[in-house]
Amino acid sequence: MGKIILVTGPARSGKSEWAETLAMQSEKAVVYVATATDNPDDQEWHQRILEHQQRRPQDWETLSVPVELSATLADVKPYTCVLVDSLGTWVANLLEEDEFSWQNIVAELLETVDLVAADMVFVAEEVGWGVIPAYPLGRAFRDRLGSLVRQLGVISNPVYLVTGGHVLNLSRLGYPLPIRGDSGTFTSQDS
């Protein structure tokens, strides 16, 4: 199994730039998995995508993967570093899925991540630190992304939080939240 790294933080915090730095430091061939799709009619979104593209080294392979993330990760070569940017956009792309289908998609992703021999760097937005969305789809997005980040964070090492222009290694500063057992009590992940 390859190394799994999670980089999380709020919008415009520098998390993508930190993830790109980590990918460069791997000294491996980098496969950049872009989950966003460009929309030339939305100039602000188009500009954000251009900024990301211009920062990337020319020798990085870029794949546009708005939905089929598990299949893409299953096909990567073991000697590469895969940078997935971002999980928030990927969740948004799948927001129309019903809860049962969504749970299956997440289970498939986590199983795939566990089997991939390549190093992987995931970028994820932190949501839910503020106002609860006033509409059901917004709450579903917040809950799905928050849960996915938590599940991925448990199997990632290191986990970074990028905020206020600073990078914090959460794996050094803290420890994963214990898993709640069937009895409702918390157990250590080591037991």
Side-chain angles (χ1 to χ4, degrees), residues 12 37-51:
R12 297 299 209 187
T37 53
D38 197 0
N39 179 359
D41 294 332
D42 184 341
Q43 283 303 308
E44 187 270 337
W45 185 248
H46 180 72
Q47 187 59 41
R48 283 180 187 241
I49 290 174
L50 283 176
E51 288 171 16

Side-chain angles (χ1 to χ4, degrees), residues 79-134:
Y79 51 84
T80 60
C81 178
V82 181
L83 195 167
V84 177
D85 195 358
S86 77
L87 290 176
T89 304
W90 181 71
V91 169
N93 294 340
L94 292 163
L95 207 48
E96 298 291 326
E97 297 291 333
D98 63 56
E99 193 59 30
F100 180 77
S101 297
W102 171 248
Q103 292 303 323
N104 287 333
I105 290 167
V106 169
E108 180 184 18
L109 175 65
L110 294 173
E111 288 170 12
T112 301
V113 165
D114 195 41
L115 297 173
V116 172
D119 290 348
M120 293 171 283
V121 181
F122 291 92
V123 177
E125 298 77 2
E126 278 298 330
V127 293
W129 286 20
V131 177
I132 296 173

Side-chain angles (χ1 to χ4, degrees), residues 10-66:
R12 297 299 209 187
S13 63
K15 59 191 176 296
S16 292
E17 292 169 63
W18 179 243
E20 291 161 6
T21 299
L22 294 170
M24 283 186 256
Q25 289 175 350
S26 77
E27 298 183 358
K28 296 181 177 184
V30 177
V31 177
Y32 185 98
V33 177
T35 60
T37 53
D38 197 0
N39 179 359
D41 294 332
D42 184 341
Q43 283 303 308
E44 187 270 337
W45 185 248
H46 180 72
Q47 187 59 41
R48 283 180 187 241
I49 290 174
L50 283 176
E51 288 171 16
H52 280 251
Q53 290 171 342
Q54 292 167 352
R55 274 198 322 254
R56 277 182 242 147
Q58 295 285 336
D59 62 335
W60 286 12
E61 179 183 1
T62 300
L63 303 175
S64 179
V65 183

